[in-house]
Amino acid sequence: MDHLDKRHFSVIDYTCFVIVLLFSAIIGFYHGARSKKSPSSKEDYLLGGRSMSVVPVICSLVATSASGMTIVGLSAEAYAYGIHSWMLCVSLLVGNFAFIQVFFPVLRELKVASSFEYLEMRFNRSVRIFASGIYTLAVLIQVPVTVYIPALVFQNVTGIHVYATVTALSILCASYTAIGGFRAVVWTDVFQLTLMALSCCIIATVGVTAVGGIENVWNAAERGGRLNWINLTNVSSRTTIWTYFNGAIIAIYQFGLNQANVQRYLSLSTMKEVKAASWIVTVLFGAFICLSQLMGAIMYTSYETCDPLRRGFITAMDQILPYFVRDKASFLTGFNGIFIAGIFAAGLSTTSSFLNALGGSIYEDFLSYRLVSISESTAKNIMRAIVLILGVIQVPMVFAIEKMGMLFQIQMQVMSVATCTLFGFFTVGILCPKINGKGAKAGACAGGIVIAILIVGGMSNKTEPPLPLRTDGCGSQFNSTELTSANVLNNSQDTESEDVFWLFKIPFVYYSLIGLVINLLTSYIVSLLTGGNTVEDQGLLAPFLRDKTIKTNEELELQQKKLLLIEKS
């Protein structure tokens, strides 16, 4: 039995937790009521009328990116494998620069409502539908992870089963997202981000105090090999620096071209606001990453000589953070409730953002051209129904998530498939004028199939063992052995991995890069074999690739307006 079972969720904890959920729901229902009182368009429901203030959009972007995986998954990653994930901050900087300078200006000039609308303009409708279909599948796999994390934490501290929590959370989130639309999602994100930041700061402060100061954290992390800032040697390890080149590619799509993020950037009124928001978001999300690394190091310091997983106090590495909170911070009245509410806030913000974006993309990409004669209010009701259906669908998806390993690895694998296919579409469209629709679809299929094969084949390969985890301080029954988990797992991995085909031994952190390269090569070859392509509207290409002698459609429209004004005068 868990030695912390005696510490129950108090009435105050439950009160704090319930207040957070109710407040999130109230915001959604409030914006839903406002939209009924005053006429609003489909664009208001999807993009806030393209006139949102910068601050709430920034908060929403950070909250959408900083899911429970960032807080729970990355802190567990730091505990088990060291603080190597700080390099994600560098990946974010590179990715944001490419997104804001190369990709987003094209989408903004075209004034699209869905990022996949660009693909129809650049290629054809079939490419748009194909890409939107892949995005739909990726989100349906990714969203259950964001719901599962808070449910897992909640079960760990209250005993309430994951499935019950997932069902309740999904219904609540889908309800306020469907009713309130984009504005509801953005303003609940502001509240939820504040709560997330507060929870993480309290955990870090309490943790540093509990272990005797930041110097002790540093020394313990150094003794345990957790200060692996840069690994230039072992290219097959998940901690190597070379994986973060792959991370930069993921960052361009996941934190830029992802429909949920594009939707928020398009809601701002000027490009100047977009650029400022994107860099502030990069810095703030980087701060969350660094804070998660600190929490991982603090937890390792606390359990340096008695690992809770090997001792049997927890059953999975992803449970280490909620265990730590119960063990070290329960003396703070109500903090268990605040912590759980913070994790729920992270899950709610990401889930609501994806549901809202996916509801819009499904309507725009699959239904709008068939329902051209319906009213704006009917269109909004259809999107609301789609969001509610998506909320229900994600519940059974959680069953599969439980069986797929560490959350960080699951997230990276889903990102790899989405990046090599969806980011590949935008890359060949914006950067490769010679590639046509047939080539783009062939490339996406080839890249996606290869990554799927690597993921399935990689399941037979043992997970990379964590850094040494000790139990010599747990008590007399463990003092007889000084074997580390690394010793045990390395021996089993060497034995069981000999029969695995070499291709399936490739670390999952390289999947995006491999898939994207295959995508680009296949797209180019197939396009050459099928007649190539010529882009007539230069506005569909990156600014630095445009033929200055050919005007974009936007420039032609401005020229026509000027001529009309001259004629009238």
Side-chain angles (χ1 to χ4, degrees):
M1 180 182 291
D2 189 319
H3 77 303
L4 296 181
D5 278 348
K6 60 185 179 181
R7 300 186 182 183
H8 297 292
F9 226 43
S10 68
V11 174
I12 297 177
D13 290 324
Y14 275 111
T15 302
C16 294
F17 173 70
V18 171
I19 287 173
V20 170
L21 296 185
L22 286 177
F23 197 78
S24 298
I26 288 170
I27 294 174
F29 296 141
Y30 167 75
H31 283 282
R34 281 191 61 185
S35 66
K36 288 183 179 180
K37 290 182 179 180
S38 57
S40 60
S41 64
K42 183 178 64 176
E43 191 171 81
D44 278 321
Y45 186 81
L46 287 177
L47 300 172
R50 298 184 189 263
S51 59
M52 293 294 295
S53 302
V54 177
V55 173
V57 170
I58 288 173
C59 292
S60 182
L61 283 162
V62 177
T64 299
S65 302
S67 65
M69 200 285 290
T70 307
I71 300 172
V72 177
L74 284 184
S75 59
E77 180 78 9
Y79 177 88
Y81 295 96
I83 61 170
H84 65 95
S85 295
W86 76 271
M87 281 293 293
L88 285 171
C89 298
V90 179
S91 300
L92 283 173
L93 290 172
V94 175
N96 185 66
F97 178 81
F99 168 70
I100 213 66
Q101 296 296 327
V102 177
F103 294 95
F104 187 73
V106 177
L107 301 181
R108 183 169 184 83
E109 288 174 11
L110 296 172
K111 297 179 180 179
V112 294
S114 163
S115 57
F116 304 114
E117 189 177 340
Y118 163 80
L119 297 178
E120 181 176 2
M121 296 177 178
R122 172 64 173 82
F123 300 112
N124 51 56
R125 172 164 287 279
S126 65
V127 174
R128 174 182 180 175
I129 292 174
F130 184 57
S132 186
I134 294 172
Y135 175 73
T136 300
L137 291 175
V139 171
L140 288 176
I141 296 172
Q142 192 170 354
V143 166
V145 176
T146 68
V147 180
Y148 175 69
I149 292 171
L152 180 67
V153 173
F154 197 56
Q155 175 181 270
N156 207 256
V157 298
T158 65
I160 297 176
H161 202 279
V162 165
Y163 301 145
T165 309
V166 164
T167 302
L169 178 62
S170 299
I171 293 172
L172 173 69
C173 187
S175 297
Y176 78 70
T177 302
I179 293 171
F182 183 76
R183 291 182 185 275
V185 172
V186 168
W187 284 107
T188 51
D189 284 349
V190 174
F191 166 67
Q192 290 160 355
L193 178 66
T194 304
L195 191 61
M196 279 192 287
L198 178 64
S199 298
C200 291
C201 289
I202 293 176
I203 293 170
T205 302
V206 170
V208 169
T209 303
V211 299
I214 197 69
E215 185 177 355
N216 287 342
V217 175
W218 182 276
N219 292 335
E222 189 171 35
R223 286 193 299 270
R226 265 64 183 177
L227 297 182
N228 46 357
W229 298 99
I230 298 177
N231 177 5
L232 294 170
T233 54
N234 187 2
V235 295
S236 64
S237 170
R238 70 203 286 158
T239 67
T240 178
I241 189 174
W242 308 114
T243 66
Y244 293 102
F245 289 99
N246 181 70
I249 295 171
I250 291 177
I252 298 173
Y253 175 72
Q254 291 295 334
F255 303 103
L257 285 169
N258 188 303
Q259 171 63 15
N261 286 6
V262 167
Q263 190 180 27
R264 278 148 185 75
Y265 285 122
L266 288 173
S267 72
L268 298 174
S269 55
T270 67
M271 192 62 192
K272 183 178 179 181
E273 290 179 341
V274 171
K275 289 182 177 180
S278 68
W279 286 113
I280 294 172
V281 168
T282 300
V283 172
L284 291 178
F285 185 64
F288 265 103
I289 292 173
C290 293
L291 191 55
S292 70
Q293 301 304 283
L294 174 60
M295 290 192 294
I298 290 170
M299 291 188 295
Y300 177 75
T301 304
S302 182
Y303 304 122
E304 183 182 9
T305 60
C306 186
D307 171 51
L309 180 62
R310 297 197 67 211
R311 182 63 181 85
F313 295 146
I314 57 177
T315 58
M317 190 62 75
D318 293 310
Q319 297 172 0
I320 187 69
L321 181 58
Y323 175 86
F324 176 78
V325 172
R326 294 168 64 198
D327 187 22
K328 303 298 181 184
S330 290
F331 67 89
L332 294 173
T333 303
F335 181 70
N336 268 333
I338 294 174
F339 166 69
I340 297 299
I343 300 298
F344 264 77
L348 284 169
S349 61
T350 305
T351 302
S352 62
S353 297
F354 276 118
L355 290 178
N356 180 253
L358 185 55
S361 67
I362 288 175
Y363 176 81
E364 290 289 341
D365 300 327
F366 294 99
L367 301 176
S368 61
Y369 72 99
R370 298 177 183 273
L371 305 172
V372 291
S373 60
I374 65 172
S375 65
E376 293 280 316
S377 61
T378 303
K380 287 194 298 179
N381 288 333
I382 291 174
M383 285 187 278
R384 285 173 174 147
I386 292 171
V387 170
L388 290 173
I389 292 170
L390 292 171
V392 173
I393 290 174
Q394 70 184 4
V395 175
M397 294 291 292
V398 172
F399 290 88
I401 296 299
E402 282 190 302
K403 312 298 180 184
M404 293 176 64
M406 279 193 71
L407 298 174
F408 177 74
Q409 184 167 340
I410 297 171
Q411 198 88 334
M412 288 294 290
Q413 289 174 339
V414 174
M415 286 181 178
S416 296
V417 175
T419 300
C420 77
T421 53
L422 297 176
F423 177 55
F425 275 125
F426 291 103
T427 300
V428 299
I430 292 174
L431 296 178
C432 306
K434 296 295 182 182
I435 291 179
N436 58 30
K438 293 179 181 178
K441 285 191 288 187
C445 289
I449 290 171
V450 169
I451 297 305
I453 291 172
L454 289 176
I455 290 175
V456 174
M459 289 178 180
S460 60
N461 196 21
K462 295 293 289 184
T463 302
E464 181 178 344
L467 295 171
L469 298 168
R470 295 165 53 188
T471 57
D472 52 285
C474 292
S476 57
Q477 68 202 74
F478 278 83
N479 286 339
S480 59
T481 178
E482 293 185 359
L483 282 175
T484 67
S485 61
N487 296 142
V488 177
L489 290 171
N490 275 326
N491 290 337
S492 63
Q493 175 145 346
D494 291 341
T495 302
E496 296 185 40
S497 294
E498 290 178 357
D499 298 330
V500 178
F501 183 53
W502 67 268
L503 189 66
F504 301 139
K505 294 181 182 180
I506 298 174
F508 67 90
V509 287
Y510 290 111
Y511 288 177
S512 291
L513 181 60
I514 293 170
L516 184 62
V517 170
I518 292 172
N519 186 334
L520 296 179
L521 289 174
T522 305
S523 297
Y524 190 74
I525 293 171
V526 172
S527 293
L528 286 180
L529 295 175
T530 55
N533 185 63
T534 301
V535 179
E536 295 181 359
D537 180 5
Q538 295 294 296
L540 297 169
L541 300 175
F544 64 89
L545 287 177
R546 294 171 185 172
D547 186 341
K548 302 302 180 182
T549 62
I550 304 175
K551 296 184 181 294
T552 66
N553 285 350
E554 186 179 23
E555 290 171 334
L556 290 172
E557 288 177 6
L558 288 173
Q559 189 177 41
Q560 288 176 354
K561 289 179 181 179
K562 289 179 180 178
L563 289 173
L564 288 172
L565 289 173
I566 292 172
E567 289 176 2
K568 289 180 179 179
S569 60

